[in-house]
Amino acid sequence: MTASEKTRVDFWFDPSCPWAWMTSRWVDEVTEHRDLDVHWHVMSLAVLNEDKDVSEEYKAFFPRALMYTRLVAAVRELHGDEVVKPLYDALGTRIHPGGSKDPGEVIPAALAEVGLPAELAAYADSDEYDTQMRASHFDGIERVGQDVGTPVIAVNGTAFFGPVISPAPTGEIALTLWDGVVAAASYDGFFELKRSRTRGPVFA
């Protein structure tokens, strides 16, 4: 099957977001059983909230989050799209189930796992590729509007925020949820379906 015959999926993530992480694990599960052509793109919670009135606690999280998004953007520019997902996996495994809050540990270990040069870590503290990072961010956000977060998913061009799930489903229920998302995306007039979260991120 060619890429043109597969379902095109575009996934925007901030490496620091636990909700995006779980949704990405679900997409990985679905990819094993559905013909998906998944493209991974960085977005930034720091950029999303830079002009918003947020709590000091949340604001304190942004500098660390920005380091990861800057790193992914730089690596994409220097080494291509094909390394974005492996780098996200390596970062996210340490940040989320690993529970690390220290970019000084996470970034070198993730680069080494993916086989990328250690000196790329310097881009986490550099704005050199911020233009590209912001372009990727706004490409996703402009498809869904400003009152959302991460992840953003587009299925064959129809984009939405979410789904927000915990824990990431596996097996048949993962496929059932995917088929429902595809069905919702197929109707241009579908905008929102939501309920309040009753649990936090579960990384099991």
Side-chain angles (χ1 to χ4, degrees):
M1 176 173 286
T2 66
S4 62
E5 296 173 309
K6 296 183 177 182
T7 299
R8 165 87 184 212
V9 179
D10 289 275
F11 192 113
W12 283 264
F13 64 92
D14 184 312
S16 295
C17 178
W19 302 103
W21 175 252
M22 284 183 292
T23 305
S24 72
R25 301 309 93 183
W26 164 65
V27 170
D28 282 350
E29 174 81 3
V30 174
T31 302
E32 295 182 8
H33 305 281
R34 295 284 191 269
D35 294 316
L36 307 185
D37 178 28
V38 186
H39 299 255
W40 301 86
H41 314 274
V42 72
M43 62 180 291
S44 170
L45 288 171
V47 172
L48 182 67
N49 290 280
E50 61 188 356
D51 297 323
K52 296 181 181 177
D53 184 17
V54 299
S55 70
E56 290 302 316
E57 181 181 4
Y58 193 31
K59 194 178 297 183
F61 153 81
F62 293 147
R64 183 171 76 246
L66 189 59
M67 292 179 71
Y68 296 128
T69 57
R70 281 175 163 168
L71 176 68
V72 173
V75 168
R76 177 187 178 276
E77 290 300 312
L78 296 171
H79 291 271
D81 286 333
E82 64 274 11
V83 297
V84 170
K85 179 57 162 53
L87 180 58
Y88 178 32
D89 290 345
L91 291 168
T93 297
R94 291 165 172 81
I95 295 167
H96 302 300
S100 178
K101 299 184 182 300
D102 183 0
E105 294 181 357
V106 170
I107 289 173
L111 290 172
E113 179 181 322
V114 181
L116 290 168
E119 56 266 27
L120 289 171
Y123 288 105
D125 292 308
S126 169
D127 63 0
E128 182 172 348
Y129 292 102
D130 275 16
T131 297
Q132 292 89 334
M133 182 266 287
R134 285 174 173 269
S136 178
H137 170 86
F138 286 112
D139 181 30
I141 287 297
E142 287 171 0
R143 301 178 190 222
V144 291
Q146 292 292 325
D147 55 341
V148 300
T150 173
V152 170
I153 293 182
V155 179
N156 286 332
T158 299
F160 46 84
F161 162 57
V164 176
I165 49 180
S166 180
T170 59
E172 194 62 34
I173 190 62
L175 302 180
T176 298
L177 177 59
W178 177 257
D179 293 341
V181 166
V182 172
S186 70
Y187 176 53
D188 183 62
F190 177 82
F191 296 104
E192 186 171 350
L193 181 68
K194 187 175 182 179
R195 64 174 179 162
S196 296
R197 299 176 202 167
T198 58
R199 67 174 68 104
V202 178
F203 299 122

